[in-house]
Amino acid sequence: MNGYSEDKAALERRMKRIEGQVRGVAKMIEDDRYCIDVLTQISAVSRALENVALELLDDHLGHCVADAVKGGGANAEEKIDEATEAIRRLVRS
């Protein structure tokens, strides 16, 4: 089971809202809206995606990584390395 399973419905709702925001940005471009207004909306979409990513990371650390660490061994090291790489990707984006 994934760490986010309990919050899956809420995550799906948030992603649908973000999807709507992205469609709105596309419509703004189609309608030749003012550049700064488009950039403001793109920034809002980026923040919304970052918040979803952070929530998923928190769930992953709290469930998947924590469970693996309790069990110890190679699986624990693998989960920690996996989480570290995910954090690196998030920080770079």
Side-chain angles (χ1 to χ4, degrees), residues 14-29:
R14 288 172 72 181
M15 290 304 298
K16 286 187 186 300
R17 198 169 331 145
I18 292 167
E19 182 180 12
Q21 285 179 291
V22 171
R23 280 195 304 272
V25 171
K27 179 80 168 111
M28 290 176 79
I29 292 169

Side-chain angles (χ1 to χ4, degrees), residues 30-47:
E30 182 182 316
D31 294 344
D32 293 320
R33 297 281 298 274
Y34 184 56
C35 299
I36 296 302
D37 293 340
V38 176
L39 290 169
T40 298
Q41 291 306 308
I42 290 171
S43 177
V45 169
S46 295
R47 278 192 312 275

Side-chain angles (χ1 to χ4, degrees), residues 5-93:
S5 293
E6 293 178 11
D7 300 323
K8 185 176 179 181
L11 287 169
E12 287 174 337
R13 283 191 303 275
R14 288 172 72 181
M15 290 304 298
K16 286 187 186 300
R17 198 169 331 145
I18 292 167
E19 182 180 12
Q21 285 179 291
V22 171
R23 280 195 304 272
V25 171
K27 179 80 168 111
M28 290 176 79
I29 292 169
E30 182 182 316
D31 294 344
D32 293 320
R33 297 281 298 274
Y34 184 56
C35 299
I36 296 302
D37 293 340
V38 176
L39 290 169
T40 298
Q41 291 306 308
I42 290 171
S43 177
V45 169
S46 295
R47 278 192 312 275
L49 282 171
E50 286 173 8
N51 287 333
V52 170
L54 289 172
E55 185 173 330
L56 286 168
L57 179 61
D58 185 55
D59 288 344
H60 182 68
L61 292 172
H63 294 96
C64 303
V65 175
D67 290 346
V69 168
K70 287 176 190 171
N75 188 41
E77 291 179 32
E78 180 182 321
K79 291 294 181 189
I80 291 170
D81 291 344
E82 187 180 69
T84 300
E85 284 304 311
I87 293 167
R88 278 193 182 110
R89 286 191 301 272
L90 285 173
V91 169
R92 283 189 224 137
S93 64

